[in-house]
Amino acid sequence: MSNPEEEAEMDATPENIRAWAKKDPNTEWVHQDWDMEVAQAKHADLILSLVEEDCPQSDFFVSCLYLLVGSYFTTNGKSISRNQIDELLSQGEQSTNQNVQHWVNRSRAFLLNPEKFGRDGWAEGGWALDENIWRLPDEERVAIIEEITAAFHGVPRGEITLHEADVWDNYGSEEEAEQARSLDTDNCWEDIQEVWIEECSSALPFLDPQSWRYYIPAYMIWTLKNYENSDSIVSEWTVYTFCMLNRSKNEPDSKENDLERFQQLNQKQSAAVYLFLKYMGEHYLDAAEEAIQQYWKKFYPAEQD
């Protein structure tokens, strides 16, 4: 028989939410849908105030702010109205909390063009809440990810899929490559799972030019998010894929093949690559600066002049 007192503690009442706010960040959730239950219009003001207080569970409540905005779209305004969202954002504009200010700016951009950022990610709390980015006061990195996401949105995949390329990287057979294709269930590059990128860390050279253009934004974003705290070689491979290396004529990835790939990108996409390489060259790998000098410097964003 269930305990009525325990059940009462699981309800998302203002009292229980405030009590939860004081718990250690590693505390197990009350139940698996706790964030969805908390992120309701009736609790919006409370959620915002708890983030501003920088309570122990502040990250959880930041996620709830994103859920509130995302739910406006997923429920067609039934869970929270546009007027309520606008009012909440206006309150957030008065906050001195950096996380709140960032949420306000991103939410306004999302509301103007939800497809640019991906509705599904926002419905789940927003990709910007990934711990590897959100806890780092690195607005430049977040801004570059936004540029990449916008520039490559809607890019179609080519003939070779990611896991298929990984098979070719490991000298696999045609049969193995065909089986590997079934693993790639993504409908757009934003659907690509980080674990796939880690599994296929050195697959980029084995993609056709169109698929290279499709997968490269996911690899750049993975690198920006993880290069500091991952032992994977993904970051190195991602930077090197933009280099025109000194290869022999017998190697498959010749200078001509490099150019064929690079020329798949339009001006906006190439400018996003430039920003990525500039950041990585300043913070991580000298090869990124070499790549800029070899080819990408001509895509220096005009607005930075």
Side-chain angles (χ1 to χ4, degrees):
M1 182 178 294
S2 60
N3 187 321
E5 292 184 2
E6 291 182 355
E7 288 186 356
E9 291 177 358
M10 295 176 68
D11 294 337
T13 63
E15 293 75 18
N16 288 344
I17 293 172
R18 289 191 182 93
W20 168 257
K22 300 175 183 178
K23 294 183 180 294
D24 184 271
N26 296 319
T27 302
E28 186 176 348
W29 285 13
V30 176
H31 53 73
Q32 64 179 6
D33 295 323
W34 178 236
D35 58 341
M36 301 297 292
E37 190 171 340
V38 171
Q40 298 183 42
K42 62 183 179 181
H43 300 315
D45 291 342
L46 175 58
I47 292 168
L48 181 59
S49 67
L50 290 170
V51 175
E52 291 176 327
E53 291 172 12
D54 198 24
C55 66
Q57 288 287 347
S58 180
D59 285 354
F60 170 84
F61 291 110
V62 172
S63 179
C64 289
L65 288 175
Y66 279 86
L67 280 171
L68 281 167
V69 177
S71 69
Y72 165 71
F73 285 97
T74 57
T75 67
N76 295 317
K78 294 179 181 178
S79 63
I80 186 168
S81 69
R82 180 58 187 264
N83 286 339
Q84 288 175 299
I85 290 291
D86 289 340
E87 183 178 346
L88 191 64
L89 292 173
S90 295
Q91 293 177 37
E93 287 179 341
Q94 309 304 315
S95 174
T96 58
N97 183 287
Q98 185 179 15
N99 288 349
V100 173
Q101 285 291 330
H102 196 46
W103 165 74
V104 169
N105 293 334
R106 295 179 67 96
S107 295
R108 293 204 183 284
F110 173 69
L111 290 166
L112 286 172
N113 189 0
E115 300 303 335
K116 171 182 173 181
F117 294 92
R119 296 181 185 224
D120 291 343
W122 276 72
E124 295 169 1
W127 61 261
L129 294 176
D130 186 287
E131 293 182 359
N132 295 324
I133 282 201
W134 192 253
R135 292 200 173 98
L136 295 172
D138 192 342
E139 294 296 318
E140 181 183 3
R141 197 181 331 186
V142 173
I144 294 170
I145 291 176
E146 291 176 346
E147 290 289 337
I148 294 169
T149 302
F152 286 86
H153 180 71
V155 169
R157 190 169 67 188
E159 294 182 3
I160 301 176
T161 71
L162 188 58
H163 285 89
E164 180 184 3
D166 188 56
V167 169
W168 300 133
D169 180 26
N170 291 286
Y171 305 98
S173 65
E174 291 277 358
E175 182 180 355
E176 290 172 327
E178 185 62 31
Q179 292 175 348
R181 287 182 65 89
S182 65
L183 299 175
D184 296 306
T185 57
D186 47 290
N187 294 313
C188 58
W189 68 261
E190 291 93 338
D191 291 341
I192 298 167
Q193 299 178 26
E194 290 201 348
V195 66
W196 296 356
I197 294 174
E198 293 160 9
E199 291 170 350
C200 307
S201 57
S202 55
L204 288 174
F206 298 88
L207 295 166
D208 61 274
Q210 291 75 29
S211 284
W212 178 84
R213 180 183 62 173
Y214 173 83
Y215 286 108
I216 201 58
Y219 273 75
M220 286 192 288
I221 290 174
W222 186 98
T223 297
L224 287 166
K225 291 165 64 175
N226 297 295
Y227 79 91
E228 288 185 312
N229 48 32
S230 174
D231 294 331
S232 172
I233 60 173
V234 170
S235 299
E236 287 82 355
W237 275 107
T238 303
V239 170
Y240 287 134
T241 198
F242 297 114
C243 295
M244 297 172 65
L245 302 178
N246 295 321
R247 301 183 177 97
S248 70
K249 293 183 179 180
N250 294 325
E251 290 185 281
D253 283 340
S254 63
K255 180 178 179 179
E256 290 74 19
N257 285 343
D258 287 336
L259 285 174
E260 183 182 2
R261 289 182 170 197
F262 299 167
Q263 290 167 358
Q264 294 290 318
L265 308 187
N266 62 30
Q267 178 71 31
K268 188 174 182 180
Q269 292 162 356
S270 297
V273 170
Y274 171 88
L275 293 174
F276 166 79
L277 291 171
K278 181 175 180 291
Y279 184 93
M280 297 306 296
E282 292 174 352
H283 297 274
Y284 183 59
L285 201 61
D286 291 341
E289 179 58 34
E290 295 175 14
I292 289 175
Q293 297 305 317
Q294 290 172 344
Y295 180 81
W296 301 97
K297 61 183 178 182
K298 58 187 174 183
F299 299 106
Y300 183 88
E303 62 269 19
Q304 293 192 16
D305 292 334

